Amino acid sequence: MEHDTSTPTYSTSDPTSFAFTSARERWPAIITGAIDDVHRTVSSIPESDKERIQEGKAIVSALASIKYELQHNRTLTAIADDGQPDVEGYNVELQARGPPKWHDVEWLYSECYLYRRVATLFALAKHPFWKSYDVFRRQKMSTFKSSRPAVLELAAKYREIITRIRTSKSHSVVEAPHSSEEVEQAEKLLFTEMAEICLWGNATDLSLLTNLTYEDIQKLQGSNARKESEKNILVNDLAEAFAVLNRAHKEGKSSRRVDIVLDNAGFELFVDLILAGYLLATGLATEVVLHPKSIPWFVSDVIPQDLAALLGAMQDPKSFYEDPSDEYESKGNGQAPVPLTEEEANDVKFLFEDWSQLHGEGQLILRPNRFWTHAGSFWRLPKMAPELFEDLKESELVIFKGDLNYRKLTGDASWDPTTPFVTAIGPLGPTSGIRVLALRTCKADVVVGLPKGKDEEIRAMAGGGGDSGARKWAWSGKWAVVQYSDGKA
């Protein structure tokens, strides 16, 4: 708390904030989903395995107790010691805050506390099955399975791009006789496409990557699809990020590391790996470090097991996509899945082999850290995780994905929306030694770096919040910001 911004933060007691709705509606629904998941698993365990069944039922009961506390606005209680050092930090902060009640507490702290407390239920289990159980696993893989059309389309395009780059003498997707300036402009556009796919995830219009000739890439600048994709990006600093990576590449720096602080598993992790593979193939990066969470977190956030599950599905895509069982219930129409063609299956396998090789050769690195699941904002990073802070300084660019990472970067504070991004991220801003790029679709109240009058303009639109005092337009994921801070300048 001592290292946080002094700007007031969002609270679950504020009826004009999304925090208010989250505490009263979203969180109970999420816990209900967790209860249903564990109950479903318990029902599938053989009757002879009484110990595992009994412990599973105990976890269901404990989850139900948390739901009751949420719905009846009880006081937050201390997290049980599961052997991890962050428990003390959570509990000390809890006492310093009151302890508070669910409906009148800082939003960021209480939401992190909720997921940390759920994780403790499994960490304290005696049976190894439950100790390593991810209560959100089915949901994460289900989103990947239901994203089949986009996965197959992107897999084909990625294979084509990477194959072309590797067979090119210049390691470029664009060949001579074009000038170096023309090639660089085309590569900048392709980088922008890759990054915006990571930004929007499933909502991305993949038609923009249909063709790969220089002339067709150039057409992206004037395409209606690009304009439609970009019109809801309120701030877009991708050009600055590309310039940094391109300069390091042209200068021949021996280490050109890019870090990605991950957000969601499933399809979003898939597109993050698309970006990582592209950066490595083009030489814009020599290594990409992926930062997952250490425990199941905010339902869909990536943990190390999610990468293994994703690659496992891609290793045998026919089995994964054609499996008629309901282990991962995709959002289909109830009909039997259409078999993959051999070409579709080979495209997906190409990605599996490519990413597995990059991982095996140390170019694609997975590096979890418990700091990412601490209660506080990233304003605390230099003081509370100094080794991680120093490690990130070694990177050319650190990409923070998603809404929660943005909330943590900015302290989840009620900044004036015109506050510069470099100001709102505090110790990670200028002179920090870290280049920050935030890719964020807006799903919470905090937003900074907007032009004067833009917040008021969007509030006045249908569903934007109007005169209610609520910034409702920032809750839906319809709008996005891509913001950059050069802490090495």
Side-chain angles (χ1 to χ4, degrees), residues 3-118:
H3 306 301
D4 294 341
T5 174
S6 58
T7 304
T9 54
Y10 289 97
S11 170
T12 60
S13 63
D14 179 3
T16 67
S17 75
F18 193 46
F20 188 90
T21 301
S22 291
R24 290 157 181 80
E25 298 176 17
R26 286 178 60 247
W27 296 348
I30 288 166
I31 299 301
T32 298
I35 291 170
D36 291 344
D37 178 89
V38 177
H39 178 74
R40 176 178 169 183
T41 297
V42 168
S43 300
S44 68
I45 297 172
E47 292 183 6
S48 58
D49 198 346
K50 291 182 169 41
E51 180 184 349
R52 187 153 50 123
I53 291 173
Q54 184 177 5
E55 194 159 39
K57 289 180 177 179
I59 291 172
V60 167
S61 178
L63 287 168
S65 295
I66 294 175
K67 179 182 175 182
Y68 180 89
E69 292 175 26
L70 276 168
Q71 293 178 313
H72 293 83
N73 193 26
R74 296 295 192 251
T75 300
L76 278 67
T77 58
I79 296 175
D81 186 0
D82 61 9
Q84 292 295 333
D86 64 328
V87 171
E88 181 181 4
Y90 268 95
N91 289 338
V92 167
E93 188 165 343
L94 180 65
Q95 289 303 313
R97 292 182 178 280
K101 293 186 176 181
W102 282 106
H103 295 173
D104 186 13
V105 59
E106 184 187 80
W107 185 19
L108 182 59
Y109 172 82
S110 56
E111 195 160 19
C112 292
Y113 163 93
L114 172 64
Y115 289 97
R116 185 61 183 86
R117 193 164 157 203
V118 169

Side-chain angles (χ1 to χ4, degrees), residues 110-350:
S110 56
E111 195 160 19
C112 292
Y113 163 93
L114 172 64
Y115 289 97
R116 185 61 183 86
R117 193 164 157 203
V118 169
T120 302
L121 298 180
F122 296 93
L124 290 173
K126 296 178 181 179
H127 198 289
F129 175 83
W130 293 116
K131 191 174 285 291
S132 61
Y133 190 82
D134 179 3
V135 72
F136 306 121
R137 176 184 63 94
R138 283 192 184 95
Q139 189 169 337
K140 287 185 281 193
M141 288 303 291
S142 174
T143 65
F144 182 61
K145 192 168 188 176
S146 64
S147 302
R148 168 177 161 164
V151 167
L152 297 179
E153 186 173 355
L154 265 179
K157 294 184 188 342
Y158 178 87
R159 184 182 185 182
E160 182 181 356
I161 291 169
I162 299 302
T163 300
R164 181 173 296 198
I165 290 170
R166 287 178 180 163
T167 56
S168 164
K169 293 180 181 178
S170 62
H171 297 288
S172 169
V173 76
V174 180
E175 284 285 15
H178 301 287
S179 70
S180 59
E181 291 79 11
E182 290 173 327
V183 170
E184 184 173 314
Q185 181 61 22
E187 290 182 342
K188 177 182 173 182
L189 280 166
L190 198 52
F191 168 82
T192 301
E193 282 303 304
M194 294 289 185
E196 288 186 6
I197 286 172
C198 282
L199 171 68
W200 292 114
N202 259 340
T204 305
D205 182 345
L206 302 178
S207 65
L208 302 181
L209 288 180
T210 299
N211 298 299
L212 289 172
T213 66
Y214 170 78
E215 289 73 19
D216 286 324
I217 292 175
Q218 285 297 97
K219 290 176 184 177
L220 290 175
Q221 287 182 312
S223 72
N224 290 330
R226 164 155 292 286
K227 291 175 182 176
E228 286 298 311
S229 173
E230 289 196 331
K231 70 178 183 180
N232 288 348
I233 304 177
L234 302 175
V235 181
N236 195 340
D237 293 338
L238 282 175
E240 288 89 334
F242 175 78
V244 163
L245 299 181
N246 191 50
R247 182 171 64 247
H249 187 203
K250 287 166 64 175
E251 291 174 354
K253 290 186 68 172
S254 58
S255 176
R256 302 185 297 277
R257 171 177 149 190
V258 173
D259 288 57
I260 305 177
V261 183
L262 299 169
D263 186 32
N264 294 328
F267 182 76
E268 188 171 334
L269 175 58
F270 175 81
V271 295
D272 291 342
L273 292 169
I274 290 274
L275 175 62
Y278 170 75
L279 293 174
L280 292 169
T282 57
L284 289 172
T286 54
E287 59 181 329
V288 175
V289 180
L290 305 174
H291 298 267
K293 308 302 189 296
S294 300
I295 56 176
W297 194 248
F298 280 63
V299 180
S300 54
D301 281 27
V302 180
I303 60 175
Q305 296 94 304
D306 293 324
L307 178 61
L310 183 72
L311 291 177
M314 295 173 62
Q315 184 177 18
D316 188 1
K318 278 185 168 290
S319 294
F320 179 72
Y321 283 113
E322 297 173 16
D323 185 358
S325 74
D326 63 352
E327 170 66 8
Y328 303 122
E329 296 167 346
S330 62
K331 301 172 184 176
N333 54 15
Q335 298 178 354
V338 177
L340 297 185
T341 67
E342 286 301 316
E343 185 175 5
E344 288 172 334
N346 288 335
D347 287 340
V348 176
K349 288 178 182 178
F350 175 88

